[in-house]
C-alpha cells in the first residue's frame, strides 16, 4: 500500500456494520422460520442489504498521497494528480474542483449543524507532512480538514497557466457495480416469482 492519509466519514463504517447485522438477523430469521427453502426463496433481500452497506458505507474514502488524491465513491474511483486540482468546496461535503469537472467525495459529507458547532471549538488533528509519510494514516472524517490538506498541496492553477493541466482519471469499479447489479437482479427475480 502506498503511504497515504485516508479520510472516511465518521459514521460510514458504523452504518455498514449495522446493515450487515440487520442482514444477518434477517437471514437467521429466515432460517429459523422456514429453513433452507426460505433462505433460498428470500435470501436475496439480506444479500442486497449487505452489499449495499459495503458499497455505500464501508468502501468510500479519500486517499491523499504524495502524488495526488484518490476519491473512492460507491461505484467509481477518481484519481486526481495535484496539477489537476484547482480548488475545494465543502458546502455539501468535500468536492474537489478541476479544470474540467468537479469531483464529489461520498465518504466526506457535510457536517450536521451540531457537528459544525462542536467542531468550531476543537483542534484539528495533527497530520504528518505528505513528504515524510511512510505508512497509511487515518485522517478523520471532517471534510474541512481534508479540504485544507488538499488546498495546501494543489498545483492546478499553475498547471493551467503553463498549459499542461492533466485530466482526472475517472473509472467505474466493476466489483461493486457487479455485486449490486447481481444482488438487485436476485431481488427482482424473487419478487417476480
Amino acid at each position: 500500500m502506498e503511504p497515504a492519509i485516508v479520510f472516511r466519514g465518521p459514521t460510514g463504517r458504523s452504518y455498514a456494520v449495522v446493515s450487515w447485522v440487520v442482514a444477518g438477523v434477517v437471514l437467521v430469521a429466515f432460517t429459523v422460520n422456514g429453513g433452507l427453502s426460505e433462505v433460498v426463496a428470500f435470501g436475496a433481500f439480506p444479500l442486497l442489504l449487505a452489499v449495499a452497506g459495503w458499497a455505500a458505507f464501508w468502501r468510500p474514502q479519500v486517499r491523499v498521497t504524495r502524488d495526488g488524491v484518490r476519491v473512492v465513491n460507491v461505484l467509481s474511483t477518481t484519481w486526481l494528480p495535484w496539477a489537476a486540482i484547482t480548488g475545494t468546496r465543502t458546502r455539501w461535503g468535500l468536492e474537489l474542483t478541476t479544470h474540467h469537472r468537479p469531483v464529489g467525495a461520498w465518504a466526506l459529507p457535510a457536517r450536521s449543524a451540531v457537528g459544525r458547532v462542536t467542531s468550531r471549538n476543537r483542534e484539528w488533528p495533527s497530520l504528518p507532512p505528505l513528504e515524510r509519510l511512510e505508512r497509511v494514516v487515518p485522517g478523520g472524517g471532517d471534510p474541512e480538514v481534508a479540504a485544507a490538506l488538499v488546498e495546501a498541496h494543489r498545483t492546478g492553477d499553475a498547471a493551467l497557466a503553463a498549459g499542461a493541466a492533466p485530466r482526472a482519471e475517472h473509472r467505474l469499479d466493476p466489483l461493486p457495480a457487479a455485486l449490486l447489479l447481481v444482488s438487485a437482479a436476485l431481488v427482482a427475480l424473487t419478487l417476480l416469482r
Side-chain angles (χ1 to χ4, degrees):
M1 286 300 264
E2 179 182 12
I5 298 174
V6 178
F7 294 90
R8 287 190 167 97
T11 56
R13 293 253 162 141
S14 301
Y15 291 158
V17 171
V18 167
S19 72
W20 298 337
V21 168
V22 170
V25 167
V26 170
L27 202 56
V28 168
F30 286 161
T31 304
V32 169
N33 187 43
L36 186 59
S37 63
E38 191 163 321
V39 170
V40 170
F42 301 107
F45 292 102
L47 175 66
L48 178 60
L49 179 61
V51 169
W54 169 76
F57 301 117
W58 190 269
R59 184 176 181 276
Q61 60 180 289
V62 175
R63 296 179 70 87
V64 181
T65 68
R66 291 182 189 116
D67 300 325
V69 180
R70 183 172 310 280
V71 178
V72 179
N73 285 325
V74 177
L75 295 176
S76 64
T77 298
T78 304
W79 168 250
L80 298 120
W82 290 116
I85 302 170
T86 59
T88 60
R89 290 189 286 239
T90 58
R91 180 173 179 173
W92 305 111
L94 180 65
E95 183 179 76
L96 306 173
T97 58
T98 69
H99 303 289
H100 307 288
R101 68 178 187 91
V103 176
W106 176 266
L108 295 174
R111 291 220 171 264
S112 65
V114 172
R116 285 191 303 273
V117 169
T118 58
S119 68
R120 285 187 193 138
N121 299 327
R122 84 179 154 82
E123 293 182 28
W124 284 23
S126 175
L127 300 173
L130 288 177
E131 300 78 32
R132 293 190 300 229
L133 204 59
E134 296 179 10
R135 60 187 170 83
V136 174
V137 176
D142 191 336
E144 291 182 15
V145 172
L149 181 63
V150 170
E151 284 290 339
H153 291 86
R154 70 179 178 86
T155 59
D157 295 332
L160 183 61
R167 293 185 76 90
E169 298 172 20
H170 181 80
R171 67 177 166 84
L172 178 71
D173 292 331
L175 180 62
L179 289 174
L180 285 167
L181 187 63
V182 166
S183 57
L186 290 172
V187 166
L189 286 174
T190 300
L191 293 173
L192 292 176
R193 277 197 254 166

